[in-house]
Amino acid sequence: MWASSNEFTACRQHINRQDHLEETLRDTAIIMVAQFLQDAAYDKVHTIAEELLDRAEKCERLRWHESPAECARQLMDTFLTHICNDQELVGNHVFSVCCKMEITARLQCFLSSKRDDADSIHVPLIPRPELTCETNEGNHVSLKTRSSYEISRRYPFLYGPTILTMSACYETAVWSCCQEENKTECLQTKLEPIRRYIREISARHRHLCEIRIKFDDKIARAVELILLTKKQPKANFSEIVKLTTDIKNLHEICCEGNTVACALGRHQLMNYTCSNQAILSSKFAQCCQQPEPFRGECIINSENDDKPNLTSLALRKFTEDQSACKQFRDKQHDFLQEFLYEYSRRHLELAVPVILRIFATYKQLLEECCKLGNPSECHRRGKEMFQRVVRESRDCVKTYCDLHRTLGGSNFQDRLTILYTKKAPQLSVQELVAFTRKMAAAASRCCPLSDELQSACVEDAAKLILGALCRRHDTKPVNAGVGRCCDDSYAFRKPCFDDLRVDGTYIPPPLSCDQVISLKEDLCQAQEEELQIEKQKLLSNLVKQKPHAAEDAFQAIGAEFTQLVKMCCHTEKRETCFQEENFINRVAGTHKRKDGARVCSGTPADQKVPVPPRGRLIPESADVESPTWKNNSRPSGFLPAQCWSRTLASPHRLSFSINKWHIDSQTGPSELHHHKCCLSRAVAEKKLKEQSRSSASLTCSHIWLGTGPPAVKT
């Protein structure tokens, strides 16, 4: 990440002034107003902020041991009342609705009306910032304050202290470039990392706020405890628990948009952290030398402390100690928190979602085992179960990255587009292409890393990308499968989406061929990136029309489209070439409506290829008619069973080939679809002995030998 202590040291040069505290208080008020009133002009925001300063100053004068919570509530009440008394602002329909509510509901109404347009805004914070160099060079305050305003209205969920830091860094970058000969190039180089950091950290802040709202308090607390323990693995348990409570409470204030209270709360927290850095982390020393607001941002972005030399004794008490069930019954909350602490500090390399899956697995294990007569024998297998959770995550990520390396970035996104259109066809093609573009970018960033870092990187990226998809679902429901994955379990959200089936309830609307894709000469002027987007939109439209067609058929269409554009763009009569090739008619087929219009039927090559309902990166078709399987050969990149078989009792996997497996005509196809070549030992042996009435055959190269058919945990 960009924000290291060196960058913050460079940013601080314009903030060491006597009026810093007064200026910071004014800026935090401007940030709060701008994040709620995103369409208001700067002068309007500045006027309202000035009127809030008296109340904000009372909050600032709180003593170190006083909680800012009550002052924060009064400040927010004053602010919202001010908005509702302003006739100009109440003219806004959303505000008029919110102002009719009682004070608690009013705040939630205002928060829900915020618009995060960060992905679509690419214009500079300040138009032509190089012109600033021509103005009075001593007027630094206006540039910093103006950039705070612009950042706030574009990123309404970004925490105020981060905006204060980034606006100071923005100001520093601009003034340093004013000394350079090529000011424009200098600004492009220095401002882009700031913009990228703002976008990334804003997504994380919003994600943390959504966890608190969507899931119960225990999940939010568990996430904070894991993050703190990974950053400060040498800190003792009581310190981590105290900081977990403090930070969870601070997140609640910051998520409610109270920038003044958020900044004051972080200031108190960082004072405590730096005063106790000797018992917390050896990595905070350089950050604690920084002034606010850089100190806090620096500590948050500091690297994890060195892993302590820990024995396995502390962890054994949770799986091997005979008193585990008594402690679980007597003090469940404290006992589980201690397990989470001890496990996290020993596994700094694991991503938060993976540790949460282990946490959920352990809690479920104790709930089952502690009902038995001899519980210690039951929960003793916990260590083996934890290892399996980690192995499943790493194996899935490895397969994911192997496929990315085999296909290459563009074809990999094609495959993702096909896959997620099957899972969520209700999304627009633009949404699906943008969504899979982020997933492909994460693969490009994560897959070159070492195996250990690779897994954590992919898991971390997936939680944010899927979080955005779930946010879209909350705004406008997609389908029942997406809703289940978003709502049932935060820890198992990614595995749930991995296992999501094709949405069989979706009925595609008829499309004209021009709606599928417009094959015109304009494609020859398009940049490579634009061509890829057009190809993926084509694939998404076709998948929506025929979601059960084989994935390989769509992949072939994508390749044919690329070749067609390349061929026609090299001819003299390009438009004629596109028309004569009649690409859409061949790949999708057309039929004539009663009104005479030609409509794409959406049946690629009119292939009647039954495909299993599980929407996978690689076709897992056990259907004997699928061309993928006709030659008794395993398709390249076939996903191993451990990627989705999450609750099998046996950890042993055997690579097991069956070249001629005869399937009973009454039960074969459906049963084979259900088991996905991952059957129990008994079922596998039985099938091998059966004499068939069918001549169908198939190769199945990955068999999981467990105690029964796989069950997906959500």
Side-chain angles (χ1 to χ4, degrees), residues 677-691:
C677 302
C678 304
L679 308 174
S680 70
R681 183 188 300 274
V683 175
E685 289 177 350
K686 179 181 178 182
K687 284 291 180 185
L688 284 171
K689 292 177 181 178
E690 284 182 353
Q691 295 298 320

Side-chain angles (χ1 to χ4, degrees), residues 425-704:
Q426 294 83 356
L427 295 173
S428 69
V429 292
Q430 291 81 4
E431 288 175 311
L432 285 160
V433 170
F435 171 72
T436 56
R437 184 182 181 83
K438 291 178 182 178
M439 294 184 71
S444 297
R445 184 175 68 254
C446 298
C447 292
L449 302 176
S450 64
D451 288 350
E452 190 174 88
L453 296 175
Q454 193 181 78
S455 178
C457 181
V458 169
E459 287 276 0
D460 183 65
K463 75 181 182 188
L464 298 176
I465 297 170
L466 294 176
L469 176 58
C470 291
R471 185 161 61 246
R472 159 64 172 82
H473 174 79
D474 290 338
T475 304
K476 184 179 179 182
V478 179
N479 60 41
V482 170
R484 185 182 71 253
C485 291
C486 288
D487 299 340
D488 283 2
S489 168
Y490 177 70
F492 288 93
R493 182 179 277 179
K494 179 181 178 296
C496 182
F497 271 104
D498 287 344
D499 292 324
L500 200 59
R501 298 166 180 250
V502 173
D503 182 11
T505 66
Y506 179 71
I507 301 175
L511 291 177
S512 69
C513 292
D514 284 343
Q515 286 177 298
V516 175
I517 190 171
S518 181
L519 287 172
K520 294 183 179 179
E521 189 176 351
D522 293 349
L523 291 172
C524 299
Q525 276 71 53
Q527 298 294 320
E528 182 66 26
E529 184 176 320
E530 295 174 289
L531 281 177
Q532 295 301 329
I533 291 174
E534 288 301 314
K535 177 178 64 173
Q536 283 143 12
K537 286 164 65 176
L538 164 68
L539 292 174
S540 184
N541 270 321
L542 291 176
V543 173
K544 288 186 180 197
Q545 297 298 310
K546 194 69 174 178
H548 292 286
E551 293 179 16
D552 285 352
F554 293 116
Q555 199 85 27
I557 290 170
E560 187 176 351
F561 169 80
T562 301
Q563 290 300 317
L564 173 68
V565 172
K566 184 177 180 180
M567 179 185 72
C568 288
C569 289
H570 280 82
T571 63
E572 292 184 5
K573 298 181 179 180
R574 297 173 177 175
E575 197 74 34
T576 304
C577 176
F578 282 123
Q579 292 174 0
E580 289 179 349
E581 284 299 316
N582 206 10
F583 174 70
I584 289 296
N585 192 33
R586 284 190 295 105
V587 301
T590 63
H591 66 271
K592 186 180 290 187
R593 292 194 315 216
K594 292 181 180 180
D595 60 6
R598 302 293 297 180
V599 179
C600 285
S601 61
T603 55
D606 200 30
Q607 294 186 55
K608 297 179 180 179
V609 183
V611 172
R614 302 183 77 85
R616 281 296 183 181
L617 277 172
I618 296 291
E620 288 187 0
S621 179
D623 193 291
V624 295
E625 291 298 317
S626 171
T628 305
W629 296 88
K630 278 186 175 179
N631 297 323
N632 300 328
S633 60
R634 177 171 65 90
S636 173
F638 182 82
L639 283 179
Q642 64 263 37
C643 285
W644 54 273
S645 172
R646 308 194 191 285
T647 57
L648 290 174
S650 172
H652 305 295
R653 182 170 65 86
L654 176 65
S655 182
F656 188 46
S657 291
I658 309 173
N659 290 322
K660 290 290 182 180
W661 190 346
H662 298 291
I663 305 168
D664 185 277
S665 60
Q666 300 299 315
T667 62
S670 61
E671 183 178 354
L672 204 51
H673 277 193
H674 179 70
H675 291 302
K676 288 290 172 292
C677 302
C678 304
L679 308 174
S680 70
R681 183 188 300 274
V683 175
E685 289 177 350
K686 179 181 178 182
K687 284 291 180 185
L688 284 171
K689 292 177 181 178
E690 284 182 353
Q691 295 298 320
S692 170
R693 296 190 300 271
S694 168
S695 60
S697 61
L698 143 89
T699 296
C700 186
S701 297
H702 291 272
I703 298 288
W704 187 291

